[in-house]
Amino acid sequence: MPKESVLVIVNPIAGGGRAARLLPLLRAHAAAVEMEIAVTTHARQGEELAAAAAGRFERIVAVGGDGTVQELLNGVTASAER
């Protein structure tokens, strides 16, 4: 099964809501660049999404702060350890 191109995981509360304000722009360009967008709704969901996406996507991108990046790293690492 071929990998999809990019998964962008957005923490909408990051940066006092600045990450959420990027969603319209991301969604407008998603189809043109083979990008899927996932928006987190609770703590550690970024980790779950990244773990499920590892191996399926060529790239996983965090839109949020350092906590979002840490969650994605944890998810990808946990997936690789399985």
Side-chain angles (χ1 to χ4, degrees), residues 6-10 26 35-39 57 59-63 72:
V6 179
L7 172 64
V8 178
I9 299 176
V10 180
L26 290 169
M35 178 173 66
E36 185 175 319
I37 301 167
V39 180
F57 287 87
R59 292 173 188 85
I60 302 171
V61 177
V63 176
L72 273 56

Side-chain angles (χ1 to χ4, degrees), residues 1-5 7 36 49 52-59:
M1 176 162 94
K3 290 183 181 181
E4 298 173 49
S5 185
L7 172 64
E36 185 175 319
L49 291 167
R56 212 178 106 213
F57 287 87
E58 292 178 51
R59 292 173 188 85

Side-chain angles (χ1 to χ4, degrees), residues 2-80:
K3 290 183 181 181
E4 298 173 49
S5 185
V6 179
L7 172 64
V8 178
I9 299 176
V10 180
N11 175 354
I13 63 170
R18 286 192 308 257
R21 290 193 293 274
L22 292 174
L23 281 169
L25 177 65
L26 290 169
R27 288 183 175 132
H29 295 288
V33 295
E34 298 179 47
M35 178 173 66
E36 185 175 319
I37 301 167
V39 180
T40 61
T41 60
H42 58 274
R44 300 197 62 180
Q45 187 178 19
E47 187 172 331
E48 298 163 4
L49 291 167
R56 212 178 106 213
F57 287 87
E58 292 178 51
R59 292 173 188 85
I60 302 171
V61 177
V63 176
D66 55 352
T68 304
V69 172
Q70 184 65 49
E71 283 191 6
L72 273 56
L73 286 171
N74 290 344
V76 170
T77 301
S79 175

